[in-house]
């Protein structure tokens, strides 16, 4: 004969166990065995920054987020101002999805300019950042700062760093520039909260073309500049919505990725900028070699890493992409994808489609449109809809 009380107890126990498992699963802890608590540059980083960091980590397990510089600000033959009520993008026109990462450059903010170096009004930029973020997009910002010594642009290589650090004569002036950067970055808000921004200042420092680069600034000065920038933004101006990226240019044989590295407490993500200057073999070798180096360092330090700028480039040729000599119209699938597949990068950012001759992303009618569409279907190439479907 069955015991009714025993049956009841068993059923109650089952209900409790199932209930406990359900509740336990629905309250997944923010950190777990796979995603350990990161040591961010900013210990006071906002919750949104922590969520973004986690998102970048989890998406790198599925593939890489595909990004485009100035994606919605302008493209080939158009600019946002011509379509004020529409969010347009060369990527969207081809694949009916937006990039997952949106790059912007704040060159000119330090001077209080209304527009950035490429004519994008900062107000528009802010609105586009917020729109992208509200849709689940990831925002990254670079800064082609003017040369504080000469007031010319960032490609004026007159040494300046030694004057804006320590007791230098231009410290105050540069501090006022940093304060403007801080005000802008903090002002980008969605629903009243600052949106998280991946900040990538002083990039390509191992190249000789910027005032903050070798040999116009040595590694000791560079590190001091970087740390000073972090102290100012984070501690003085209380900017708490940033993830900091260190991004040298592709490594030449004698380059040491870590030469200018500001230190683990000052860098969240390891990046690298690599372009294909019409030499697919050299480019492929660089991508594999450099990402391999970064991956090892990043894993050891428990940091994320990314291909922070890329594209196929032909300098000084405005219509290169429609030319018969266009190098490889299947570049995205033949050259890029095989080299970054399974690399573990969190994102890849294609540089801008400037109307003045720089084009790193195909657009509709480009010879590589079909190739790019096929690239977008590759399992690891993640666009906006893809990253919005990732559980983390
Ligand atoms: C550089 C070039 C410039 C541009 C700058 C900021 O790499 O594309 O033409 O002004 O970025 O976007």
């Amino acid at each position: 004969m069955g015991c009714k009380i025993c049956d009841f107890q068993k059923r109650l126990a089952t209900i409790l166990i199932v209930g406990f498992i359900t509740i336990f699963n629905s309250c997944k802890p923010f950190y777990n065995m796979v995603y350990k608590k990161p040591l961010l540059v900013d210990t006071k980083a906002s919750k949104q920054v922590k969520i973004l960091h986690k998102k970048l980590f989890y998406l790198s397990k599925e593939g890489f987020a595909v990004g485009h510089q100035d994606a919605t600000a302008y493209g080939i033959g158009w600019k946002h101002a011509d379509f004020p009520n529409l969010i347009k993008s060369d990527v969207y026109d081809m694949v009916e999805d937006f990039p997952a990462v949106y790059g912007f450059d704040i060159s000119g903010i330090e001077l209080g300019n209304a527009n950035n170096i490429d004519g994008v009004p900062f107000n528009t930029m802010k609105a586009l950042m917020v729109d992208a973020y509200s849709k689940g997009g990831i925002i990254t910002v670079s800064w082609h700062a003017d040369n504080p010594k000469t007031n010319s642009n960032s490609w004026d290589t007159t040494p300046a760093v030694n004057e804006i650090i320590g007791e230098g004569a231009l410290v105050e002036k540069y501090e006022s520039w940093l304060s403007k950067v801080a005000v802008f970055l903090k002002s980008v808000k969605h629903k009243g909260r600052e949106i998280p921004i991946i900040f990538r200042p002083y990039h390509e420092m191992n190249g000789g073309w910027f005032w903050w680069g070798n040999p116009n600034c040595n590694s000791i000065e560079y590190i001091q500049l970087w740390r000073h920038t972090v102290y100012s933004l984070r501690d003085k101006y209380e900017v708490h919505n940033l993830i900091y990226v260190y991004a040298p240019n592709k490594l030449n044989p004698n380059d040491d990725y870590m030469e200018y590295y500001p230190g683990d407490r000052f860098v969240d993500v390891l990046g690298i900028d690599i372009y294909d200057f019409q030499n697919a073999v050299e480019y492929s070798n660089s991508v594999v070699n450099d990402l391999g180096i970064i991956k090892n360092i990043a894993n050891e330090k428990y940091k994320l890493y990314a291909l922070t700028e890329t594209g196929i480039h032909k300098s000084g040729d405005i219509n290169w992409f429609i030319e018969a000599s266009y190098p490889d119209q299947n570049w995205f699938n033949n050259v890029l994808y095989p080299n970054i597949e399974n690399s573990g990068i969190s994102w890849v950012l294609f540089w801008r489609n400037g109307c003045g001759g720089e084009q790193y992303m195909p657009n509709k009618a480009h010879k590589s449109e079909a190739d790019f569409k096929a690239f977008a279907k590759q399992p690891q190439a993640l666009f906006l809809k893809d990253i919005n479907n990732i559980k983390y």
Side-chain angles (χ1 to χ4, degrees):
M1 213 169 76
C3 157
K4 276 193 186 149
I5 295 179
C6 298
D7 276 356
F8 174 74
Q9 282 174 337
K10 269 190 219 154
R11 249 182 277 146
L12 186 64
T14 314
I15 290 168
L16 287 176
I17 290 167
V18 171
F20 178 75
I21 291 172
T22 314
I23 291 170
F24 183 79
N25 276 340
S26 65
C27 306
K28 259 209 272 177
F30 194 81
Y31 303 111
N32 56 36
M33 293 295 280
V34 186
Y35 183 68
K36 288 180 280 165
K37 188 175 180 171
L39 207 63
L40 294 171
V41 170
D42 188 355
T43 52
K44 291 189 191 157
S46 65
K47 188 174 163 210
Q48 286 68 35
V49 163
K50 291 179 184 157
I51 292 172
L52 171 58
H53 190 273
K54 192 176 184 196
K55 180 167 170 169
L56 291 168
F57 173 86
Y58 274 97
L59 72 79
S60 74
K61 306 292 154 213
E62 311 269 330
F64 48 82
V66 175
H68 189 203
Q69 183 73 4
D70 284 334
T72 46
Y74 54 81
I76 302 301
W78 63 272
K79 58 179 186 304
H80 179 72
D82 302 330
F83 304 89
N85 300 318
L86 186 69
I87 299 295
K88 230 178 116 52
S89 136
D90 283 345
V91 170
Y92 190 90
D93 287 349
M94 291 185 289
V95 301
E96 290 179 17
D97 196 2
F98 286 101
V101 176
Y102 296 68
F104 295 94
D105 195 280
I106 56 168
S107 170
I109 201 78
E110 69 276 12
L111 308 173
N113 290 350
N115 296 351
N116 86 346
I117 189 173
D118 306 310
V120 181
F122 284 109
N123 282 342
T124 301
M125 186 184 294
K126 204 187 289 188
L128 294 174
M129 286 174 170
V130 174
D131 179 81
Y133 177 71
S134 72
K135 291 172 173 152
I138 296 167
I139 311 302
T140 180
V141 163
S142 52
W143 181 28
H144 284 80
D146 266 12
N147 185 319
K149 171 86 180 163
T150 61
N151 296 323
S152 184
N153 63 28
S154 51
W155 295 270
D156 178 338
T157 55
T158 309
V161 177
N162 56 353
E163 298 202 37
I164 57 176
I165 53 177
E167 306 288 303
L170 300 172
V171 165
E172 249 177 61
K173 172 179 179 177
Y174 200 68
E175 202 52 35
S176 84
W177 284 16
L178 288 175
S179 74
K180 293 198 183 79
V181 169
V183 167
F184 179 75
L185 295 176
K186 277 173 77 161
S187 71
V188 192
K189 291 186 180 169
H190 175 59
K191 294 190 177 159
R193 285 193 291 250
E194 291 143 21
I195 71 166
I197 291 173
I198 301 172
F199 187 43
R200 188 172 64 95
Y202 315 129
H203 62 301
E204 301 173 3
M205 78 304 293
N206 54 335
W209 43 90
F210 294 130
W211 56 262
W212 58 81
N214 177 41
N216 321 310
C217 153
N218 64 40
S219 61
I220 294 170
E221 291 166 341
Y222 181 87
I223 291 169
Q224 226 181 314
L225 170 66
W226 184 288
R227 291 184 178 184
H228 175 75
T229 301
V230 170
Y231 290 136
S232 283
L233 296 180
R234 183 191 63 187
D235 306 335
K236 189 166 174 190
Y237 304 118
E238 303 205 34
V239 184
H240 296 304
N241 55 325
L242 303 183
I243 284 181
Y244 291 85
V245 191
Y246 166 71
N249 193 53
K250 100 177 172 70
L251 303 176
N252 287 316
N254 294 325
D255 283 357
D256 171 7
Y257 181 80
M258 299 301 275
E259 188 176 350
Y260 303 85
Y261 185 64
D264 293 349
R265 288 189 300 116
F266 298 89
V267 172
D268 293 313
V269 181
L270 306 182
I272 190 137
D273 295 359
I274 310 175
Y275 284 90
D276 182 344
F277 292 93
Q278 315 279 300
N279 188 334
V281 173
E282 208 179 279
Y283 174 78
S284 302
N285 289 342
S286 273
V287 170
V288 171
N289 177 66
D290 297 359
L291 289 184
I293 290 172
I294 297 174
K295 179 181 186 162
N296 286 339
I297 303 171
N299 286 346
E300 201 179 283
K301 296 182 179 298
Y302 186 57
K303 298 215 183 272
L304 304 175
Y305 55 105
L307 184 48
T308 38
E309 278 186 37
T310 200
I312 179 162
H313 182 90
K314 187 174 181 187
S315 43
D317 192 339
I318 292 185
N319 289 316
W320 70 278
F321 62 93
I322 47 166
E323 283 176 355
S325 64
Y326 184 74
D328 180 356
Q329 62 187 46
N330 296 321
W331 184 83
F332 287 88
N333 287 286
N334 284 353
V335 181
L336 180 68
Y337 191 77
N339 288 311
I340 58 173
E341 191 186 14
N342 301 323
S343 65
I345 53 173
S346 286
W347 76 90
V348 54
L349 181 81
F350 296 98
W351 203 242
R352 64 199 199 98
N353 277 2
C355 301
E358 292 180 65
Q359 180 171 11
Y360 297 93
M361 173 64 78
N363 60 316
K364 247 188 170 342
H366 187 291
K367 281 191 176 177
S368 286
E369 183 190 356
D371 179 47
F372 188 77
K373 282 179 162 164
F375 170 79
K377 292 205 174 101
Q378 294 279 15
Q380 293 187 10
L382 308 174
F383 287 70
L384 189 60
K385 285 179 197 150
D386 303 312
I387 66 162
N388 281 337
N389 283 332
I390 293 173
K391 302 248 177 314
Y392 60 94

